[in-house]
Amino acid sequence: MTLPVFLAPMEGLTNSIYRRAHARAFPGLAGYYSPFITPNSSKKLTTRELSDILPENNPGQALVPQILTSRAEDFLWCAGKLRSFGYEEVNLNLGCPSGTVVSKGRGAGFLARREELERFLDEIFSQAPCRVSIKTRVGLESAEEFPALLGLFRRYPLSRLIVHPRTRTQFYKGEPRRECFRAALEGSPFPVVYNGDLFCVKDVRAFGEEYPAAAGVMCGRGLIADPGLERRLAGEEPGRERYRAFIDEVLEGYLAVWRDKRAVVAHMKEVWCYMISLFPDSRRHAKAIRKANTVEDYRAAVEALFAEREVVPLDEWSFGRLGG
Ligand SMILES: Cc1cc2nc3c(=O)[nH]c(=O)nc-3n(C[C@H](O)[C@H](O)[C@H](O)COP(=O)(O)O)c2cc1C
């Protein structure tokens, strides 16, 4: 049983340059969710936000832009703007665990302000210019908050509910509460997608067998670690060259738009923190990538890695768990 696979939004990692290279090298994902946009009363998207979601920068993807706010007016303005670009669905972020976001009552912080959240949902669902999906955690501090939240969500015509079944307090650690996902799946009038700790083919297959009624899985760290994960699920074995072409395209994409070459290298290193797990016995190469300060050093380190090591997916060797 193969479920549709979506790329999770990951701020700083899955921006348009990354997504574009991904969609070319590994087409097949059911959709891509953008990292969040934070609209405010200025009613202007930043240059960075705009360039990330402009349709011409996102070819070949079913892209859903994500919005982070607790003000209905700002959400509706932003959704209208995104609709004018042609987007038919926007996603509301109710999961971001970051301190500055939560303290303002946004992201996962909104989950604990249920009356305010209800007024917000009333307003956005009565006026939204397009479909609205929600990506949520199961509570701020405790999963016991989830049944009431679920009851609230079920009163609205969500196009999709994506559940990352951890509380804000857990951040990305600890076991996801799959029983919460099951509760969401059973009896919701909208499609429910699972997100959390699905890192390799085995994980996704086992999940699909246990939850065949899920509307899909959303993968974050697992897809950054193995951008070909969905292709493997579809029965392909993407070769080393494909990974090489992909990661080189990401690099070239950044070099074409960022003047600060050091920032480009720093960014590539972040991607490699995850992707290095595709290459067993690569400590030396990982160190060379980590130590690279110039584009030339970086290129040399990546060249050596691909020349000297094989691509072996996580299923087949014991890297350990990415989230651990
Ligand atoms: C660096 C980083 C950035 C993230 N940025 C976002 C974001 O912008 N919006 C969002 O909804 N979730 C964000 N997340 C959460 C992921 O979308 C996802 O829920 C989380 O990584 C768990 O899924 P996984 O176990 O498949 O990685 C981020 C996570 C990480 C680690």
Side-chain angles (χ1 to χ4, degrees), residues 47-313:
T47 312
R48 191 169 58 86
E49 287 172 340
L50 195 59
S51 116
D52 196 51
I53 52 94
L54 277 176
E56 60 262 38
N57 293 342
N58 292 283
Q61 309 161 31
L63 178 64
V64 179
Q66 186 184 64
I67 303 176
L68 175 83
T69 182
S70 56
R71 282 175 37 105
E73 187 190 333
D74 296 345
F75 182 95
L76 287 167
W77 170 79
C78 190
K81 185 90 184 158
L82 293 165
R83 183 71 197 93
S84 75
F85 291 135
Y87 292 106
E88 289 173 0
E89 177 188 343
V90 296
N91 180 259
L92 171 68
N93 179 322
L94 290 180
C96 183
S98 127
T100 48
V101 167
V102 168
S103 66
K104 290 183 188 140
R106 301 176 186 160
F110 213 170
L111 298 176
R113 304 184 176 198
R114 218 168 304 135
E115 284 176 15
E116 208 183 305
L117 178 60
E118 183 173 351
R119 280 197 299 276
F120 174 91
L121 295 176
D122 276 347
E123 218 171 319
I124 66 166
F125 278 98
S126 60
Q127 296 175 52
C130 57
R131 297 194 301 269
V132 178
S133 60
I134 291 180
K135 179 166 180 276
T136 190
R137 287 185 181 246
V138 294
L140 181 69
E141 285 173 349
S142 158
E144 284 171 21
E145 299 163 40
F146 195 52
L149 288 165
L150 200 51
L152 180 61
F153 297 150
R154 284 177 175 163
R155 291 179 26 207
Y156 302 96
L158 278 63
S159 60
R160 187 177 285 143
L161 177 68
I162 303 153
V163 182
H164 177 62
R166 286 190 169 102
T167 60
R168 183 266 171 165
T169 318
Q170 287 179 284
F171 276 77
Y172 298 110
K173 299 259 163 73
E175 280 299 303
R177 307 284 294 266
R178 289 227 183 149
E179 72 279 11
C180 292
F181 174 76
R182 185 178 290 285
L185 192 58
E186 289 170 358
S188 286
F190 35 68
V192 185
V193 168
Y194 176 84
N195 166 243
D197 291 28
L198 300 180
F199 296 138
C200 59
V201 167
K202 258 188 228 155
D203 290 350
V204 180
R205 289 241 167 93
F207 179 85
E209 272 160 35
E210 203 177 337
Y211 299 96
V217 295
M218 173 178 270
C219 297
R221 290 165 295 178
L223 261 173
I224 308 292
D226 181 358
L229 175 59
E230 186 278 336
R231 291 292 78 208
R232 290 182 195 285
L233 284 158
E236 273 179 38
E237 174 87 34
R240 206 162 34 167
E241 296 68 33
R242 206 147 145 202
Y243 287 97
R244 180 72 199 270
F246 163 70
I247 203 65
D248 285 354
E249 186 172 337
V250 176
L251 174 70
E252 296 310 325
Y254 282 109
L255 288 174
V257 294
W258 286 5
R259 240 179 281 155
D260 182 352
K261 305 286 178 261
R262 267 175 176 263
V264 172
V265 172
H267 182 84
M268 296 308 295
K269 287 184 199 177
E270 236 179 279
V271 178
W272 276 109
C273 285
Y274 296 90
M275 218 172 112
I276 196 70
S277 63
L278 264 181
F279 300 84
D281 191 22
S282 57
R283 287 177 94 94
R284 182 166 59 78
H285 300 86
K287 192 170 167 194
I289 293 175
R290 238 182 4 255
K291 295 219 155 210
N293 277 322
T294 63
V295 176
E296 291 67 36
D297 290 349
Y298 167 84
R299 283 191 205 274
V302 171
E303 177 70 38
L305 173 68
F306 277 95
E308 294 163 20
R309 290 293 179 271
E310 293 298 330
V311 163
V312 182

